[in-house]
Every structure is written in structure tokens, then in C-alpha cells.
Amino acid sequence: MSGERPAGGVRQRESVERMPAYIQGKSIPDAVKLSSNENPYPPLDSVLEATRRQLESFNLYPDMGAAAVRQCIADHLGVRVEEVAVGAGSVEVAQQLINASAGEGDEVVFAWRSFEAYPIMVQVAGATPVPVPLTADERHDLEAMAAAVTPRTRLVFLCTPNNPTGTVVHADELERFLQAVPSDVLVVIDEAYVHFDDDPDSADGLEFFRRYENVAVLHTFSKAYGLAGLRIGYAVARERIADNLRRVALPFGVTGIAQTAAIASLDAEAELQQRVDLIVSERGRMLDALREAGWRALDSLGNFVWLRTGDRTPEVDAALKQGGVVARAYGIDGIRITVGSPEMNDRFLRAIADVAPAG
Ligand SMILES: Cc1ncc(COP(=O)(O)O)c(C=O)c1O
């Protein structure tokens, strides 16, 4: 009985009781799970080895300042360590960004559909979500987003590549957008899927961070680096903002194991890149096969593909499950299928072969 307070029951924030809960991608026994944009490959030996050593000391709290991993990230990106803030996954860092920027009466603008956690976290902070519909070709409508910025706006999220549609924001569009948005509004470029983006026209968040004081960039170790279960992500932002992120962060939220794994992963980048390349090539294979079968599948620059199945979404979702594949269905909008290993993707292509194409 959620959402209703029984007579005499404990008082809770009404806005929280009305909020939809974040939905995790489903798992079904014996089906392949292509519903959470996870990396299908197991941890690298070098990363496992480094974290095994860390297991000996989990009676102790981790380094709350995450000094070593922040330094390693800073060196890797060519930014100052003071400009790096970490969290338990980039979702926690996104929450820090919201909590540090927006409260009651403030607005946070983002495209819709996009990452489902944005509206939830904005509401948790007591601020008002301002979703701006994507264009007909599933891209951020940056003109409409700029027009949605009001004196109450504190934060804008740009998700590129966008989850779930796989579309990207181009550098020239972002330049125009940043020129139009007041410089006291923080623009967060969420690049959770940036490693899979091979579009040369895409905006490079760090390049914009260097030129615009009000730009922050969000990165994660969950996707390309395959550390989703360990929970570590980070923001690159001006020092004052990064300091504030540390103020609102969950104390000791990033475990020592996650910090160690992130450092080991940055050291193993070449090996991880081979996996990313494989995922990108499999994405192309899936898109080719879908188009050949008559689906209108747009290019995706993430580790997933998107089908705008509209009101046929539940039917397509059921057919995939029948074929042993769990994808991520969004109401009557569409369905997102994570790019898995070649075998997992074969299973998906077999399952979808029985479905009349949509879109
Ligand atoms: C766009 C986007 N940002 C952030 C995240 C958060 O990922 P994590 O908290 O694992 O770093 C996700 C996860 O799916 C995402 O899709």
C-alpha cells in the first residue's frame, strides 16, 4: 500500500510518495539481459587482481577525499585535481550537482526522453523538473531547451549520447546553446556513453568545460570500463562547483574497492578500448540487420539501440521476452536494446525476426 498514509501513520513528504520509483532493467532466468546498458564482458584480470588486494582492508573506511583516483582522473584528462569530484556512480554525482544547485522554487531543464533518474532526483531536491520534448528525429531540441530557461533555472542536463535514443549533441549546436544560456546557469554534459560515440561532429564536453565556466561534465566507470557493480563516476567542474559537490556528497559513498578498480581501469585503457570497439561494431551489425528487416532504426552512438515502437511497445517487448531477450520498454514510446556480446545480440536478432517491423 504505497503512497497512502494509514490513519495515524508516519508523515512522509507528499511529493516523495507521489514520485515514480526508478525502475531497474529486468532479469529473467535463462533470458539474456539487454535492459541495463551494462558492459557484457567480465572484469579484466588486472582490475580483478588490484581489487583482490583491496579486499584485505575493507574493515577500514575508504579515503573520503578519493585523492588517488581523483589525481589519476585529473592526469588522464589534463585537468586539475581540484576540478574532479567523485560519487557512487555518476548518478550520485548528478544528484550532487542537483542538490548543490537547485532547491525549492528552482527549475532544472533536461530533454525528454532522457535518463530516467533526472526528474526523480530533481523532485527529491524539492526543485521543479522542466522536461523539453526531443525533436521528431529523437535529438535534443536545443533551441526549445534554451527557450525553456527562465530566471528560476539553475541547471540544464544535456545527455549525449542520449539514453535511450542514442542521438548526440553536435559541437556547433552546443556552442550556440551556451551562447544563448545565461552564464549563471550550470550546464551539465552527461557523457555516460561517450566512449561509444564515434561521430566526429559530436560535442566534446571537456573542450567546452575548458572554455565555459558554467559547464560541468559527467563521466562514469560503469559503461565502457565495466564497473557498474562497483559504483563510481565523476564530474569535472570548476573548483568552486567541485568543492560544493564534495559538500553534498554522501560521506564515504565511494568504496576503496571502487576507487582501486577505477585506477586499475584507467591503466588498462588500451585493453578496454578493444571491448568498446567490439561493442561499437556489434551495434553496427544490429542496426544493419534491423534496417534490412524493415525497422526504422536511427543511428545510435551509445552501447544500445532504440526502436520507436509507439503503442506496439508492449507487444514487441512480449515477443522479445518470448524469444529469451529482456530489453527495456518505455511505456508506449519505444524499446531500448543494450548491445551485448555477439552471442547475446544473435539471440536478440533471432527474437526480433518474428516481429513485424515498426517505426
Ligand atoms: C545518461 C546516464 N547518465 C548516468 C548514468 C548513471 O550511471 P552510473 O551511476 O552507473 O555511473 C546512466 C546509467 O544508466 C545514464 O544512462
Side-chain angles (χ1 to χ4, degrees), residues 89-91 115 118 159 163 190 192-193 220 222-223 231:
S90 61
V91 72
F115 182 34
Y118 299 149
C159 185
N163 173 13
D190 184 344
Y193 300 99
T220 181
S222 298
K223 310 293 178 184
R231 315 304 303 127

Side-chain angles (χ1 to χ4, degrees), residues 111-116 132-134 162-165 306 330-331 333:
W112 197 252
R113 274 193 181 270
S114 189
F115 182 34
E116 271 186 298
V132 177
L134 297 169
N162 187 47
N163 173 13
T165 59
W306 168 249
Y330 293 87
D333 277 7

Side-chain angles (χ1 to χ4, degrees), residues 296-326:
R296 182 177 168 268
L298 294 176
D299 283 340
S300 168
L301 283 307
N303 64 339
F304 49 87
V305 298
W306 168 249
L307 296 175
R308 175 64 70 175
T309 38
D311 53 16
R312 286 188 53 211
T313 302
E315 169 210 326
V316 178
D317 186 37
L320 289 180
K321 287 204 178 89
Q322 189 67 34
V325 175
V326 185

Side-chain angles (χ1 to χ4, degrees), residues 38-164:
E38 292 154 326
N39 192 314
Y41 299 107
L44 294 181
D45 285 343
S46 60
V47 177
L48 269 181
E49 185 49 36
T51 49
R52 258 192 214 112
R53 272 181 266 129
Q54 185 74 34
L55 283 177
E56 320 259 307
S57 59
F58 65 50
N59 54 314
L60 304 175
Y61 284 109
D63 172 14
M64 194 168 125
V69 67
R70 284 176 47 230
Q71 187 64 59
C72 198
I73 292 166
D75 293 346
H76 202 75
L77 303 179
V79 300
R80 292 167 49 235
V81 66
E82 293 82 1
E83 296 171 326
V84 179
V86 295
S90 61
V91 72
E92 199 233 334
V93 191
Q95 186 157 42
Q96 294 167 14
L97 284 157
I98 296 166
N99 289 343
S101 311
E104 205 73 49
D106 298 330
E107 295 174 352
V108 178
V109 173
F110 49 84
W112 197 252
R113 274 193 181 270
S114 189
F115 182 34
E116 271 186 298
Y118 299 149
I120 297 174
M121 296 187 295
V122 171
Q123 289 174 80
V124 171
T128 306
V130 181
V132 177
L134 297 169
T135 61
D137 53 357
E138 313 277 14
R139 306 188 67 232
H140 279 49
D141 187 341
L142 289 178
E143 271 181 38
M145 291 182 80
V149 171
T150 73
R152 288 167 182 264
T153 309
R154 295 288 171 272
L155 196 70
V156 178
F157 278 105
L158 301 179
C159 185
T160 176
N162 187 47
N163 173 13

